[in-house]
Amino acid sequence: MTVYETAAVHARELGVLAASGRMSDLDADSLAAAEDLMAGASAVLATAGRLDLIGGAS
């Protein structure tokens, strides 16, 4: 699994937790970190013209 995919799974799981209203401050920090990892990986892939690797247009 790639960094992007791992972060996306983690972000989805934490999103469910947030929707339930049971998110702690640590969980919120973890969600922000996962989103940052996704954004960073997306930027690198965009620069390389390979957004197709994560389901985006290249």
Side-chain angles (χ1 to χ4, degrees), residues 3-56:
V3 169
Y4 183 91
E5 292 168 329
T6 303
V9 168
H10 194 58
R12 277 192 299 275
E13 291 170 349
L14 289 168
V16 170
L17 187 62
S20 74
R22 298 177 307 161
M23 181 173 266
S24 69
D25 289 344
L26 183 59
D27 292 328
D29 289 345
S30 186
L31 177 56
E35 290 172 340
D36 287 347
L37 282 172
M38 290 172 62
S42 181
V44 168
L45 291 171
T47 300
R50 292 305 313 261
L51 287 175
D52 59 298
L53 294 174
I54 58 172

